[in-house]
């Protein structure tokens, strides 16, 4: 498919030279249908050459989103939820000191079912007891059951405990393979596989464990007859638990847990009820986001992606908990990044983009007079939204955080303009040159900066500056999203004539084939996760778990949104997830 460009006039004031690409031009008299007043206001202006990504329209109309509702509200649901939570607390208390593996399995189920936020203190106490009794000393490691060893390792590392990789030293043979007598324990091998993704740099034992168990699990799927176990294995091979957003995992794991022979009916009922009750909160937040999006008029920018539901998914992935008040602001941030990205990446001429970047760097609303009309609308909506967020913090917290926001957005714009210049000149950057800019241009850093503010209990200049401690962790999370994005979207982006992405830069620099380049990028993603795990462990005491989880969850969203394609750009790919997460409650409750 050749690159598609559009020769049209809406929103245009400036022209630019045609980029140095082999282009197929198409003539399109109207970018929007029905025609908007915003387009009419600038029609008949100077004609210019524009790219068009031909993004599919949104599947979710304003009226549909506003109609979302649920029956899982009110006193009856709250009362039943409270009763079931007390039952689960009793289950936790009954297992303490009796059966560490059963207790760890219960904690794991509660986390995967999205219920652990109700039992934070209980889980913290349980893990501390198990750590002291089973893991603090290495004297019994060689005698530990593989399941206890693997599941405990994963859960304890996840919660900030330092468990050395040497706990698995007796599991791996001299050739780097899991010893054959463990092959009879399919569940143990699956747990070891999941544990291996919590490795950090230079942990060769865990690397060997991951490679060996992955090979084993792929082979064993040919012989496993238990459909539930088969589903768990295939799910793990497709999405290692450490790489999947929690809310998505809950949606998928609920179906598997319900079919398990050891399923607890009370836990299942609570999980279904809680999922539906949290969905109610998400529907409220999504209705708000949809109204804001409509008021911005950005939905009429027909060159861009109308993706308010998909952008809401990013904020849910960052923090799905019902008490989190930042989802609405984060959805605005996500949506603005998507639109501004399309201005730079698809529609704006280089001259316009240079001007827009100058205005972003000056933060001078009076300077918008030099911009074309569509950019004036874009900047005004953006400027007003960011200033309103800053004003709310100033009135509630007494902290002036506008410069903090400004810097985040200016860094993003400055990375965008670098790519625009590369595109205009036909320049292919080196692989390192691309990554040094692209970790910022993926747009995750501003989201994290806003999320950090929204998770602070005390907003002050001191606290705002402390985010620098997490710089390496943030960079690695951004890089993971960038690389997963490139793996899923680079083919489509090259078809429409975008600047080369990491895969193409690596191929150009090394002479590698696309298959070899993709294999290298997959390895780089894995290595970057190890760095992220290491950085999180190093700063776990410096920040709230809420903020650290947000950073990791954004990295996970890279895998979710871009594995096997572009769920953010292609609405049909995301539709079944949107229906399950935001529209349809889980059935089967009493």
């Amino acid at each position: 498919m050749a690159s598609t460009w559009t020769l049209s006039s809406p929103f245009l004031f400036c022209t630019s030279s045609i980029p140095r690409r082999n282009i197929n031009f198409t003539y399109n008299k109207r970018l929007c249908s029905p025609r908007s007043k915003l387009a009419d206001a600038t029609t008949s202006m100077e004609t210019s050459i524009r790219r068009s990504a031909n993004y599919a329209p949104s599947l979710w109309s304003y009226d549909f989103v506003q109609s979302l509702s649920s029956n899982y509200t009110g006193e009856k649901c709250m009362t039943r939820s409270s009763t079931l939570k007390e039952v689960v607390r009793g289950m936790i208390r009954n297992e303490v000191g009796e059966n560490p593996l059963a207790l760890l399995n219960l904690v794991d189920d509660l986390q995967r079912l999205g219920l652990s936020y109700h039992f934070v203190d209980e889980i913290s106490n349980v893990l501390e007891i198990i750590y002291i009794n089973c893991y603090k000393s290495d004297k019994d490691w060689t005698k530990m059951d593989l399941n206890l060893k693997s599941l405990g390792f994963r859960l304890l590392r996840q919660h900030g405990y330092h468990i050395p990789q040497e706990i698995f030293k007796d599991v791996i043979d001299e050739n780097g393979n899991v010893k054959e007598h463990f092959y009879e324990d399919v569940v143990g091998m699956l747990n070891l596989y999941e544990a291996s993704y919590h490795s950090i740099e230079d942990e060769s034992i865990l690397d060997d464990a991951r490679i060996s168990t992955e090979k084993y699990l792929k082979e064993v799927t040919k012989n496993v007859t238990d459909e539930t176990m088969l589903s768990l294995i295939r799910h793990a091979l497709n999405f290692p638990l450490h790489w999947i957003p929690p809310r998505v995992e809950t949606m998928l794991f609920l179906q598997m847990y319900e079919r398990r022979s050891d399923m607890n009916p009370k836990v299942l009922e609570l999980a279904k009820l809680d999922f539906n009750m949290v969905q109610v909160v998400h529907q409220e937040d999504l209705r708000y986001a949809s109204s804001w999006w409509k008021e911005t008029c950005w939905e009429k920018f027909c060159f861009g992606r109308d993706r308010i539901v998909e952008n809401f998914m990013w904020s849910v992935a960052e923090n799905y908990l019902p008490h989190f008040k930042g989802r609405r602001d984060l959805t605005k941030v996500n949506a603005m990044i998507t639109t501004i990205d399309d201005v730079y990446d698809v529609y704006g001429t280089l001259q316009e983009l240079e001007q827009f970047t100058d205005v972003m760097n000056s933060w001078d609303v009076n300077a918008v007079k030099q911009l074309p009309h569509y950019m004036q609308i874009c900047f005004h909506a953006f400027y007003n939204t960011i200033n309103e967020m800053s004003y709310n913090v100033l009135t509630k917290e007494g902290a002036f955080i506008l410069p903090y926001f400004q810097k985040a957005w200016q860094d993003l714009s400055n990375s965008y303009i670098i790519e625009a210049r590369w595109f205009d000149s036909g320049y292919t950057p080196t692989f390192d040159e691309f990554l040094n800019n692209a970790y910022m241009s993926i747009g995750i850093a501003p989201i994290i900066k806003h999320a950090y503010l929204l998770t602070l209990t005390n907003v002050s200049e001191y606290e705002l500056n402390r985010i620098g401690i997490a710089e390496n962790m943030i960079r690695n999370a951004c890089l993971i999203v960038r690389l997963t994005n490139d793996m899923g979207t680079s083919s489509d982006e090259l078809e429409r004539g975008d600047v080369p992405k990491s895969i193409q830069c690596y191929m150009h620099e090394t002479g590698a084939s696309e298959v070899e380049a993709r294999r290298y990028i997959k390895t780089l993603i894995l290595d970057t996760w190890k760095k992220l795990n290491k950085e999180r462990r190093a700063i776990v005491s410096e920040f709230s778990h809420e903020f650290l989880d947000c950073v990791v969850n954004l990295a996970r969203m890279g895998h979710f949104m871009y594995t096997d394609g572009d769920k953010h750009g292609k609405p049909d790919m995301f539709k079944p997830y949107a229906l399950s997460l935001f529209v349809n409650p889980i059935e089967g409750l009493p």
Side-chain angles (χ1 to χ4, degrees), residues 23-71:
I23 306 293
N24 278 350
F25 292 96
T26 60
Y27 185 76
N28 187 349
K29 294 182 180 179
R30 299 178 69 181
L31 287 180
C32 301
S33 181
R35 193 168 194 81
S36 68
K37 293 181 180 179
L38 187 60
D40 286 335
T42 50
T43 305
S44 303
M45 303 306 294
E46 188 176 0
T47 300
S48 181
I49 302 297
R50 301 281 171 175
R51 285 191 293 164
S52 171
N54 294 321
Y55 291 123
S58 174
L59 298 178
W60 317 102
S61 70
Y62 170 79
D63 289 339
F64 176 79
V65 173
Q66 294 303 312
S67 73
L68 293 178
S69 61
S70 173
N71 295 324

Side-chain angles (χ1 to χ4, degrees), residues 121 140 194:
D121 292 338
D140 294 322
E194 294 284 20

Side-chain angles (χ1 to χ4, degrees), residues 497-509:
D498 280 3
V499 67
K501 304 302 181 185
S502 57
I503 296 170
Q504 292 74 34
C505 291
Y506 185 81
M507 292 168 63
H508 183 266
E509 184 175 331

Side-chain angles (χ1 to χ4, degrees), residues 57 65 114 226 307 311 503 573:
V65 173
D226 186 311
R307 297 291 183 268
N311 280 308
I503 296 170
M573 291 186 68

Side-chain angles (χ1 to χ4, degrees), residues 174-188:
E174 62 275 6
N175 296 316
N177 298 313
V178 176
K179 294 177 181 177
E180 287 191 9
H181 68 270
F182 290 109
Y183 286 13
E184 298 178 3
D185 186 358
V186 179
V187 176

Side-chain angles (χ1 to χ4, degrees), residues 17-187:
S17 59
I18 301 174
R20 302 170 193 175
R21 298 282 195 278
N22 293 322
I23 306 293
N24 278 350
F25 292 96
T26 60
Y27 185 76
N28 187 349
K29 294 182 180 179
R30 299 178 69 181
L31 287 180
C32 301
S33 181
R35 193 168 194 81
S36 68
K37 293 181 180 179
L38 187 60
D40 286 335
T42 50
T43 305
S44 303
M45 303 306 294
E46 188 176 0
T47 300
S48 181
I49 302 297
R50 301 281 171 175
R51 285 191 293 164
S52 171
N54 294 321
Y55 291 123
S58 174
L59 298 178
W60 317 102
S61 70
Y62 170 79
D63 289 339
F64 176 79
V65 173
Q66 294 303 312
S67 73
L68 293 178
S69 61
S70 173
N71 295 324
Y72 290 92
T73 60
E75 190 64 30
K76 181 179 178 181
C77 289
M78 294 294 294
T79 300
R80 184 56 182 163
S81 175
S82 297
T83 299
L84 291 169
K85 283 186 282 189
E86 286 306 311
V87 171
V88 174
R89 285 192 179 91
M91 293 168 56
I92 297 173
R93 286 193 296 267
N94 291 339
E95 292 291 352
V96 172
E98 296 295 325
N99 187 334
L101 180 57
L103 196 49
L104 287 172
N105 277 314
L106 178 57
V107 169
D108 189 39
D109 288 343
L110 294 176
Q111 289 189 168
R112 298 179 76 165
L113 291 168
L115 297 173
S116 57
Y117 72 98
H118 292 299
F119 311 102
V120 173
D121 292 338
E122 290 85 354
I123 290 174
S124 179
N125 292 336
V126 160
L127 293 179
E128 179 68 15
I129 291 170
I130 292 178
Y131 171 69
I132 292 172
N133 292 341
C134 302
Y135 295 88
K136 197 170 185 180
S137 171
D138 64 356
K139 62 181 179 180
D140 294 322
W141 285 353
T142 59
K143 300 177 182 178
M144 286 177 68
D145 173 78
L146 181 60
N147 271 305
L148 178 61
K149 190 181 294 188
S150 302
L151 186 55
F153 177 90
R154 171 164 62 84
L155 291 174
L156 288 167
R157 274 211 173 183
Q158 179 186 340
H159 285 264
Y161 289 88
H162 174 58
I163 309 296
Q165 66 162 347
E166 283 72 23
I167 193 174
F168 299 113
K169 192 173 182 179
D170 65 303
V171 177
I172 306 296
D173 65 21
E174 62 275 6
N175 296 316
N177 298 313
V178 176
K179 294 177 181 177
E180 287 191 9
H181 68 270
F182 290 109
Y183 286 13
E184 298 178 3
D185 186 358
V186 179
V187 176

Side-chain angles (χ1 to χ4, degrees), residues 386-585:
I386 297 302
N387 278 309
E388 180 182 11
M389 291 181 185
S390 175
Y391 175 79
N392 289 337
V393 174
L394 181 63
T395 55
K396 294 176 182 178
E397 303 286 343
F400 182 62
I401 49 84
L402 183 58
Y404 171 85
F405 283 158
Q406 287 175 332
K407 180 65 165 56
W409 289 96
Q410 288 163 352
D411 287 345
L412 181 63
S413 293
N414 289 328
S415 70
Y416 282 158
I417 195 61
I418 289 174
E419 292 186 353
R421 292 166 185 159
W422 287 345
F423 174 80
D424 188 74
S425 65
Y427 175 67
T428 300
T430 66
F431 185 70
D432 287 343
E433 189 178 10
F434 174 80
L435 291 186
N436 285 334
N437 186 69
Y439 90 91
M440 179 60 67
S441 67
I442 193 60
I444 298 301
I447 300 173
I448 293 175
K449 296 291 181 69
H450 284 266
Y452 176 63
L453 176 72
L454 293 168
T455 55
L456 283 177
T457 56
N458 176 32
V459 180
S460 65
E461 185 174 350
Y462 169 75
E463 290 295 336
L464 291 174
N465 289 333
R466 287 187 72 254
I467 196 173
I469 301 172
E471 181 179 353
N472 289 336
M473 181 183 176
I474 293 171
R475 183 185 179 104
N476 287 321
C478 294
L479 188 56
I480 289 168
V481 182
R482 163 51 66 192
L483 295 172
T484 51
N485 176 286
D486 288 357
M487 290 285 281
T489 69
S490 63
S491 297
D492 291 339
E493 291 176 343
L494 284 177
E495 282 186 357
R496 65 173 179 257
D498 280 3
V499 67
K501 304 302 181 185
S502 57
I503 296 170
Q504 292 74 34
C505 291
Y506 185 81
M507 292 168 63
H508 183 266
E509 184 175 331
T510 66
S513 67
E514 182 173 350
V515 172
E516 292 169 332
R518 286 182 174 272
R519 187 182 303 121
Y520 176 78
I521 297 300
K522 287 181 68 175
T523 301
L524 184 56
I525 290 171
L526 183 63
D527 290 341
T528 307
W529 265 108
K530 294 178 185 178
K531 294 177 181 178
L532 177 59
N533 293 340
K534 182 179 181 180
E535 291 295 334
R536 176 174 181 165
R537 189 173 76 175
I539 62 174
V540 68
S541 62
E542 299 287 342
F543 298 95
S544 69
H545 286 287
E546 195 172 34
F547 170 67
L548 295 175
D549 287 345
C550 175
V551 177
V552 176
N553 285 337
L554 282 166
R556 290 166 174 153
M557 270 296 286
H559 292 276
F560 169 69
M561 273 297 192
Y562 304 116
T563 294
D564 301 324
D566 181 8
K567 295 183 186 70
H568 192 83
K570 298 178 179 179
D572 285 337
M573 291 186 68
F574 182 66
K575 180 179 178 180
Y577 295 96
L579 290 172
S580 296
L581 290 167
F582 308 136
V583 179
N584 301 322

